[in-house]
Amino acid sequence: MRSPTIKEVAARSGVGIGTVSRVLNDSPQISESTRQKVMKAIEELHYVPNVAGKRLSQSRSNVIAVVVPVINHPFFAKLVEEIELAADQKGYSLLVASSQHRIEKEQEILHRLAQKQADGAIFVTHYEHQENDFKNLAIVTIDRHLGNDIPIVSSNNYEATKQGVRYLIEKGCHKIAFLGTRATQSSEVTLREKAYREVMEENGLESFVINKDVEHGQEKVLVDELLANRDHIDGIFVSGCILANTLFNRLKALHIKVPEELQIVSYDGDFSISKLENITTLEQPIKEMAEKCVELLIKIMENKNDYEKVNILDCRFVKGDTTK
């Protein structure tokens, strides 16, 4: 069945198309009698306004984009879920995009933002971009430094890592390894290795670091490299939940007792979504980070400047069964 047009609504109500459009956009310039005539015609014709066209005319889509490297990473999956909840409470829909480890895909997404397909974006990348790529775009980033004018939300990577490494030392570990994946983009995450090395040096202990640039899904390579040197390790600080999950399962397969033979503390978070429980962890406040990102992005989209450029939220220490 053919849908009625705005032209037919105008003809039925005896006004111009522009007047119908102003009624649909709640213009205060329209008299109450004219408004009632137009609304009656809309009801009689069962006219459905073109919301997409209305949004385009307003240059606002009420859509927030979230760009992450992959969706199937526990941290990013939980992050997207919490951002959607926070955005919905503010009246925004969510457009989720995965760059799939391709900088070309990210550049395509930025181009779409420039075309107003979304009002703004929460952007997480593993790649270096030119600052001009984000010019005139409403952008908030998590962990990554994308430019002096782009707000960043992160957890307290440096202090939380120090807490975790010191805890391993308190529990009797003296040969502590650092296991991580290195970010190629300037990132707060790089502070984890820095903090680890400083604590080891403060305590007169030798550092042993496996921290390399690998794609998500290739973590087993790093775990195997670490365990090849297992005789020299009695504790491990792990820089992410996927690595911790991979390590934990590998230790079980090798019948290595945790925490009797090897103690583990991991950064990152909500292991319930990765089916890994009872690990001693520094849990990132993902819900609060998501809410802060949405709050900042809305302020940018509304041209407000009353916000901090760097926003660091505290991790929560959770004692598990992987430490004594």
Side-chain angles (χ1 to χ4, degrees):
M1 182 178 178
R2 186 182 68 82
S3 299
T5 65
I6 191 172
K7 184 177 180 180
E8 290 170 322
V9 172
R12 173 70 68 95
S13 55
V15 299
I17 293 174
T19 299
V20 175
S21 179
R22 285 191 286 275
V23 170
L24 291 172
N25 286 284
D26 297 322
S27 172
Q29 299 174 348
I30 301 298
S31 68
E32 185 57 31
S33 60
T34 299
R35 187 184 308 279
Q36 289 180 3
K37 285 194 297 183
V38 172
M39 294 307 295
K40 182 180 179 182
I42 288 172
E43 183 178 350
E44 291 173 349
L45 292 170
H46 303 288
Y47 172 71
V48 179
N50 185 338
V51 177
K54 179 181 177 182
R55 284 177 174 172
L56 185 63
S57 67
Q58 294 173 333
S59 297
R60 293 290 295 270
S61 64
N62 280 357
V63 173
I64 288 175
V66 178
V67 184
V68 294
V70 289
I71 295 295
N72 62 345
H73 187 289
F75 175 82
F76 295 133
K78 185 65 174 176
L79 176 68
V80 169
E81 177 186 349
E82 294 294 348
I83 290 174
E84 183 169 27
L85 290 172
D88 183 66
Q89 291 175 358
K90 299 294 185 181
Y92 286 85
S93 300
L94 206 64
L95 172 66
V96 181
S98 166
S99 65
Q100 300 168 350
H101 303 293
R102 292 165 47 207
I103 190 170
E104 297 84 5
K105 182 80 177 289
E106 292 182 354
Q107 290 169 336
E108 175 190 333
I109 293 166
L110 290 171
H111 176 73
R112 290 170 62 185
L113 285 173
Q115 300 300 312
K116 299 296 183 182
Q117 294 186 27
D119 297 331
I122 298 166
F123 201 85
V124 186
T125 178
H126 288 333
Y127 298 104
E128 292 283 353
H129 284 270
Q130 298 297 319
E131 198 162 345
N132 282 339
D133 291 345
F134 305 101
K135 191 175 181 180
N136 300 323
L137 299 180
I139 296 283
V140 173
T141 179
I142 293 179
D143 290 333
R144 278 66 175 172
H145 294 276
L146 301 181
N148 294 329
D149 296 326
I150 298 176
I152 179 173
V153 176
S154 188
S155 57
N156 60 335
N157 292 268
Y158 182 75
E159 292 299 335
T161 297
K162 282 196 165 187
Q163 180 185 4
V165 178
R166 286 170 179 158
Y167 187 78
L168 284 169
I169 294 172
E170 289 171 9
K171 291 301 176 179
C173 296
H174 298 95
K175 301 174 183 177
I176 304 168
F178 180 95
L179 178 64
T181 54
R182 189 186 302 277
T184 56
Q185 167 72 23
S186 176
S187 170
E188 290 289 303
V189 175
T190 59
L191 294 176
R192 298 176 194 173
E193 181 184 337
K194 181 177 186 291
Y196 158 81
R197 288 186 180 276
E198 288 184 5
V199 173
M200 296 295 281
E201 184 177 354
E202 289 168 5
N203 288 272
L205 301 176
E206 185 178 352
S207 296
F208 175 56
V209 175
I210 303 281
N211 193 20
K212 298 180 180 179
D213 176 22
V214 298
E215 291 187 355
H216 295 302
Q218 302 299 316
E219 290 82 5
K220 186 177 180 297
V221 174
L222 301 184
V223 170
D224 288 343
E225 183 178 347
L226 175 72
L227 294 181
N229 296 276
R230 185 177 70 84
D231 292 342
H232 305 289
I233 299 169
D234 57 13
I236 305 174
F237 183 89
V238 191
S239 184
C241 61
I242 289 290
L243 269 174
N245 194 16
T246 305
L247 172 64
F248 192 76
N249 290 332
R250 188 70 180 126
L251 292 174
K252 285 175 65 177
L254 294 172
H255 304 290
I256 298 172
K257 295 180 181 179
V258 178
E260 292 83 358
E261 299 178 56
L262 198 59
Q263 297 190 65
I264 302 171
V265 172
S266 178
Y267 201 99
D268 221 6
D270 189 344
F271 290 101
S272 62
I273 52 179
S274 63
K275 300 180 179 179
L276 180 61
E277 299 177 355
N278 297 324
I279 244 190
T280 297
T281 183
L282 295 152
E283 187 175 286
Q284 294 197 71
I286 300 178
K287 181 177 186 294
E288 291 80 2
M289 291 170 70
E291 291 171 346
K292 176 58 72 172
C293 284
V294 172
E295 173 193 327
L296 289 167
L297 190 58
I298 290 175
K299 285 187 175 183
I300 295 170
M301 293 187 300
E302 293 177 350
N303 296 314
K304 296 178 180 177
N305 296 313
D306 56 333
Y307 57 84
E308 297 291 333
K309 292 291 173 54
V310 179
N311 303 267
I312 307 297
L313 306 181
D314 290 338
C315 289
R316 182 170 71 98
F317 181 82
V318 181
K319 172 67 172 71
D321 296 335
T322 57
T323 50
K324 296 176 181 178

